[in-house]
Amino acid sequence: MQNSVVSCPKCGSTNIYKNGHDKYGNQQYFCKDCKRTFRLVHSKKHKLFSFPYPKCPVCGKTMQIHKIKKAFVKFRCRSCHTRDEIPTNLPQFVPLPFDSFKFFRFPIFIVLKAFVLYFKAVSLRSIRDSLNIKVSHVAIYKWILKLSCFFSILVPVDAFKVHGDETVVLFKSKKYYVWFLVEHDSNLIVAWHVSKYRDMGQVKILLEKFFGNNERTIELITDGLGAYGAVKILYKNINHIVVRLGQNNQCESKFSLFQDFVRAKRGFKNIDNLPMYVNSFCVVRNLLKLNKNDIARVICVLLSSITTS
């Protein structure tokens, strides 16, 4: 890739291209004429924590961060790979603002198109082929993870009649449950929840997400799962209606679409990303429903929601 602004400090040639980053995150360039790799910025990576990093007990060198957990930080020596842990109270993660999407190499319209197609159960390689740009499927996967942190259910519905149901997602022979609340008239997903268990406590969390600070009298239709018995105990403003198993079509149609999405992705590599996937799936399905499956209009809505937030 030609660059008419940056020039090689050794021979002055502008016949250069970007050549990755160094260990501190500085952009590297490669000169095609003198075959020299150089950097314009030599800033070092800032420390994530104020406390001094530990010394390796074997070779005495300063260790680097290996993994960050909720209660401790794992360090590892780059030379002998010795590991150590330091307990700490980490602050809550706050996502960085997009700043006009300066971290994306391609136009944001292309990135959002890949995001929408992904949650329409299109494979990563099929998305790569449809974009007509030179990009790897791994880069597209990173786009999806980055964008999934910035969207929530964009369609606030003042629903008074909803359908509730749950489905199972398997990960390494373990069961995880995905819960949906679907509005009766518009068929939009108004609340969701992911859990390891299928009990009354999960039903309570799902309904609290739906109500928020605005409790009102509603009609809840379910298939008779015993966990929904908490509705009559905890909520006096809910009229609980039980239908036969298999007759709760409002939710089951959404779950069939979600299962198609899971099958297209051949499961999940990291179960911690499951809530992110479910949230983005709900956002995309709602917008496609409201915009009659017009992908261009959905992309415009997503773009306006980010730039105005």
Side-chain angles (χ1 to χ4, degrees):
M1 183 177 64
Q2 298 291 333
N3 193 322
S4 59
V5 178
V6 182
S7 60
C8 177
K10 183 177 181 181
C11 65
S13 172
T14 58
N15 188 20
I16 65 173
Y17 63 85
K18 292 182 179 179
N19 188 27
H21 299 79
D22 63 6
K23 64 180 181 178
Y24 298 117
N26 301 314
Q27 180 68 60
Q28 295 186 145
Y29 299 90
F30 180 80
C31 179
K32 293 183 179 180
D33 294 336
C34 65
K35 312 299 182 184
R36 180 175 182 267
T37 300
F38 62 92
R39 302 185 302 272
L40 299 180
V41 180
H42 297 270
S43 62
K44 292 188 177 182
K45 191 175 181 181
H46 67 280
K47 293 181 64 174
L48 295 178
F49 304 97
S50 58
F51 56 79
Y53 290 3
K55 300 286 185 179
C56 177
V58 178
C59 62
K61 295 183 178 180
T62 302
M63 306 176 76
Q64 66 175 1
I65 295 176
H66 179 54
K67 290 183 180 179
I68 300 177
K69 300 294 184 178
K70 289 184 178 180
F72 58 89
V73 180
K74 283 188 175 181
F75 287 88
R76 185 177 65 177
C77 179
R78 297 183 64 181
S79 300
C80 59
H81 303 292
T82 304
R83 300 188 181 185
D84 194 7
E85 295 180 0
I86 293 182
T88 180
N89 295 322
L90 299 179
Q92 188 175 3
F93 173 76
V94 178
L96 296 175
F98 265 78
D99 195 9
S100 302
F101 313 106
K102 67 178 183 180
F103 300 108
F104 290 113
R105 237 176 62 188
F106 297 97
I108 189 60
F109 182 86
I110 294 178
V111 178
L112 287 174
K113 181 180 179 181
F115 178 80
V116 174
L117 290 176
Y118 184 83
F119 289 102
K120 285 195 68 176
V122 182
S123 66
L124 289 171
R125 288 172 175 81
S126 298
I127 296 173
R128 177 197 60 191
D129 297 338
S130 67
L131 293 178
N132 295 324
I133 58 175
K134 189 176 180 181
V135 64
S136 70
H137 65 281
V138 178
I140 296 175
Y141 174 71
K142 292 180 180 179
W143 293 352
I144 306 303
L145 292 182
K146 187 176 291 187
L147 285 173
S148 296
C149 301
F150 287 85
F151 296 120
S152 57
I153 296 182
L154 299 174
V155 189
V157 177
D158 195 11
F160 295 94
K161 186 176 183 180
V162 295
H163 296 252
D165 205 358
E166 76 291 331
T167 191
V168 178
V169 175
L170 291 176
F171 180 78
K172 295 183 179 179
S173 301
K174 293 184 179 180
K175 291 183 178 181
Y176 295 84
Y177 297 95
V178 180
W179 306 71
F180 283 162
L181 280 183
V182 178
E183 208 271 329
H184 177 76
D185 296 325
S186 62
N187 203 20
L188 299 176
I189 304 172
V190 294
W192 61 271
H193 177 52
V194 177
S195 66
K196 294 182 180 180
Y197 309 102
R198 190 168 57 171
D199 53 21
M200 293 184 178
Q202 311 309 319
V203 174
K204 183 175 182 294
I205 295 174
L206 177 67
L207 292 173
E208 285 177 350
K209 286 185 176 181
F210 169 64
F211 283 124
N213 298 323
N214 183 23
E215 289 197 12
R216 54 193 179 277
T217 302
I218 66 166
E219 190 175 281
L220 176 62
I221 302 172
T222 66
D223 58 5
L225 178 70
Y228 289 104
V231 173
K232 294 183 178 180
I233 300 174
L234 300 175
Y235 298 93
K236 304 300 181 182
N237 57 330
I238 297 180
N239 180 22
H240 185 203
I241 299 176
V242 179
V243 297
R244 288 190 303 170
L245 187 65
Q247 300 297 317
N248 195 6
N249 294 329
Q250 296 287 99
C251 261
E252 289 164 4
S253 63
K254 296 298 182 187
F255 279 128
S256 64
L257 294 173
F258 182 72
Q259 292 294 354
D260 290 342
F261 165 73
V262 175
R263 281 192 291 269
K265 308 310 171 192
R266 298 180 182 178
F268 300 101
K269 302 296 185 295
N270 186 356
I271 198 62
D272 293 335
N273 294 334
L274 179 58
M276 224 164 28
Y277 287 130
V278 176
N279 178 72
S280 298
F281 172 81
C282 295
V283 171
V284 173
R285 294 313 307 181
N286 282 356
L287 292 179
L288 287 172
K289 177 73 176 176
L290 289 173
N291 295 279
K292 300 179 181 179
N293 289 320
D294 189 341
I295 295 179
R297 293 176 62 183
V298 171
I299 292 173
C300 292
V301 173
L302 292 175
L303 180 59
S304 63
S305 69
I306 298 178
T307 54
T308 57
S309 60

